[in-house]
Amino acid sequence: MHPPLERSHPDCQETIENLRLCHASNSKFRFWACNDAKFELDKCFRKEKKDMLERMNERHDMKEIREAEAKYMGRMSFEETWKIEKENMKKGQGRGTQGSKT
């Protein structure tokens, strides 16, 4: 299975067209006839997903850096700082969880 081909996939457009041409030119009874085109499409989608996740992680990392800078530069109120600390403690990253034994 692959994601819907109607959605925009700019990096995989050529591969999608190759698969559509293969399906149009081969009988549905020869379902293995387009395996190579399908494998290439899967490979392209994996790369697309990997790139998307890397961009998302970069944005998340940058957000954490900005929050830390704001906290230590005194630009955040006590309430904002405390809210972030509580969230980090829930994740196991706060000050109160370091070195504690359960």
Side-chain angles (χ1 to χ4, degrees):
M1 287 293 294
H2 51 72
L5 301 180
E6 291 76 30
R7 194 185 80 191
S8 175
H9 298 281
D11 297 336
C12 302
Q13 209 55 44
E14 184 179 332
T15 314
I16 291 170
E17 290 304 316
N18 288 342
L19 181 65
R20 285 184 174 153
L21 277 171
C22 183
H23 283 165
S25 62
N26 287 296
S27 168
K28 293 188 190 282
F29 296 112
R30 290 188 52 208
F31 55 87
W32 63 89
C34 298
N35 281 351
D36 291 339
K38 174 69 170 80
F39 292 145
E40 287 300 314
L41 183 63
D42 289 342
K43 184 177 166 183
C44 187
F45 283 154
R46 279 193 299 274
K47 183 182 180 316
E48 180 184 65
K49 184 176 181 178
K50 180 182 175 228
D51 293 344
M52 180 185 66
L53 289 174
E54 285 175 357
R55 285 192 307 272
M56 288 173 64
N57 287 335
E58 285 173 7
R59 280 183 272 173
H60 179 72
D61 292 344
M62 290 304 295
K63 180 183 174 198
E64 286 182 346
I65 290 169
R66 283 193 305 273
E67 286 175 352
E69 286 175 349
K71 182 169 89 172
Y72 293 114
M73 295 301 283
R75 289 184 274 158
M76 291 178 81
S77 69
F78 174 78
E79 290 79 17
E80 291 171 322
T81 305
W82 181 241
K83 180 182 174 190
I84 291 171
E85 284 295 323
K86 285 195 306 189
E87 289 173 1
N88 289 340
M89 281 190 253
K90 286 180 186 175
K91 295 178 194 174
Q93 299 171 351
R95 291 184 206 159
T97 61
Q98 293 176 351
S100 65
K101 295 180 181 179
T102 56

